[in-house]
Structure formats: structure tokens, C-alpha cells
Amino acid sequence: MDRFKILLRGRTNVVLGQLKQEIGQATGLRRLERRGIVQEMRGFSQTARLHRMAAMEQAEQD
């Protein structure tokens, strides 16, 4: 998968997760809030994967 797609998907998941958390807190829906946390963590893991891929490519070039 292209790096830009991974970055975009990761950032989108982070933002949508934060949005779900805020809506869940405002409305008192704890299930929505928890789903937001999960989606945000998924986004963070996707961006971390991107950074690991870049570090591995950098190490291979050196």
C-alpha cells in the first residue's frame, strides 16, 4: 500500500475516533465513546506502522 494512503487512513482514523469520543461524552453514550477510543488507537498504530516502514527503508539504504 502506498505510504500516502497509510498516512491518510491513519490520520482519518485518529480524527474520527476523537470525534466519536467527544460525541459520546456529550451525549452520555459510553459505547460510542469506547468505539472512538478504539478507532483513535487504530489510527495511531497505522501511523506508527508508516514510521517503522520508513525507518526500515532508511536502514536498508545505509
Side-chain angles (χ1 to χ4, degrees):
M1 191 180 295
D2 190 33
R3 276 196 242 175
F4 182 71
K5 282 184 181 179
I6 296 171
L7 176 67
L8 190 60
R9 189 172 292 166
R11 296 283 170 97
T12 303
N13 278 329
V14 169
V15 170
L16 288 177
Q18 290 173 350
L19 183 63
K20 283 182 182 180
Q21 282 181 20
E22 292 296 323
I23 292 172
Q25 286 176 352
T27 59
L29 298 173
R30 295 182 53 78
R31 184 176 183 184
L32 183 62
E33 187 178 347
R34 288 191 307 262
R35 285 185 179 179
I37 292 170
V38 169
Q39 188 167 6
E40 185 180 10
M41 291 299 116
R42 185 181 313 131
F44 284 136
S45 69
Q46 287 170 336
T47 55
R49 176 181 167 214
L50 179 68
H51 292 298
R52 283 193 312 267
M53 286 172 50
M56 288 174 51
E57 288 176 2
Q58 182 72 23
E60 287 177 359
Q61 289 178 0
D62 291 341

